[in-house]
Amino acid sequence: MPFSLDTIPPIYYNLHMINATTNIPSHKYLKRVELIQELLTETFKDAWRNIDSSFTIDILSTRDLDGDTYAECDVLTKEERKEKKIEIRLDELLLADCLEYMFAGYLGHELEHARQVATGELVAHPTENAFIWKGGKISLDYLEYKFRPWEVLAFEAQEKAIDFLAKKKQKNMQKELASA
């Protein structure tokens, strides 16, 4: 299915996939943009229904992530949210065909964070090493990563994205076998 803005509901028009620092061949971008489109319109459709469509979400392919980080999403302060721009950065290695499941998983995870930021559920504290989660301040110093409520939801979204891709591939394989 070729990527077309005409096939994406209006709420997703401000989603972009951008080559930030690399020269990745465009066909790899197109495959990933199609996957993004399918994840948003089929898997995460209900979760994204109430997103303010004036938000811009840029998905950047980059080499500039720290250490063992393969993906990250901006968590904005209340003041920064006024700009209505969120960046998701994905390591360019995730564009390799053999890492399609990792791409789907990391993307699902970061799209959930983008949703949380766009809805105001997750806001960076302006002066402390803390986030505001659904109105309550949570210090990042005292709550282990995997137990942070926004991460629990992001890991659920990660699993959904991987399951979606696996089912899609299984369906395609069954079609190929049936036509052989």
Side-chain angles (χ1 to χ4, degrees):
M1 170 166 65
F3 176 73
S4 166
L5 288 178
D6 298 335
T7 62
I8 301 178
I11 198 162
Y12 308 123
Y13 279 8
N14 289 327
L15 184 73
H16 309 109
M17 179 115 185
I18 298 168
N19 181 337
T21 59
T22 65
N23 293 314
I24 302 297
S26 61
H27 71 279
K28 291 192 190 260
Y29 273 109
L30 200 52
K31 283 176 64 176
R32 295 304 189 253
V33 169
E34 288 173 2
L35 179 58
I36 293 166
Q37 174 189 1
E38 291 169 342
L39 283 171
L40 287 172
T41 57
E42 297 175 34
T43 304
F44 299 128
K45 176 175 59 178
D46 292 335
W48 281 77
R49 189 174 311 244
N50 298 320
I51 302 297
D52 178 350
S53 62
S54 65
F55 266 91
T56 298
I57 300 170
D58 290 334
I59 300 176
L60 306 167
S61 166
T62 183
R63 294 180 183 159
D64 298 330
L65 298 177
D66 294 332
D68 293 336
T69 303
Y70 289 99
E72 61 189 12
C73 177
D74 290 337
V75 179
L76 308 174
T77 64
K78 190 175 179 180
E79 189 64 31
E80 291 168 332
R81 281 190 78 247
K82 293 176 184 175
E83 295 176 31
K84 297 187 180 266
K85 182 174 185 208
I86 301 170
E87 281 187 7
I88 294 174
R89 288 167 294 286
L90 299 170
D91 191 301
E92 70 173 9
L93 295 174
L94 296 175
L95 294 175
D97 287 337
C98 63
L99 297 177
E100 191 172 20
Y101 285 96
M102 282 182 69
F103 176 88
Y106 280 113
L107 178 65
H109 187 108
E110 300 308 330
L111 282 172
E112 173 59 19
H113 287 320
R115 184 201 66 76
Q116 295 164 353
V117 171
T119 60
E121 291 177 1
L122 182 63
V123 179
H125 193 282
T127 59
E128 297 179 32
N129 188 29
F131 286 159
I132 310 299
W133 173 249
K134 296 186 176 183
K137 183 172 79 170
I138 298 178
S139 173
L140 301 180
D141 296 327
Y142 302 110
L143 188 58
E144 192 177 336
Y145 173 79
K146 65 183 177 183
F147 296 120
R148 297 171 183 167
W150 55 89
E151 293 298 345
V152 171
L153 294 175
F155 281 113
E156 289 173 7
Q158 184 171 335
E159 291 301 316
K160 273 186 187 177
I162 292 169
D163 288 347
F164 168 80
L165 182 60
K167 287 175 184 169
K168 177 184 169 190
K169 288 192 169 290
Q170 181 181 22
K171 195 176 183 180
N172 290 344
M173 192 179 300
Q174 287 171 340
K175 280 182 187 176
E176 285 179 29
L177 290 173
S179 67

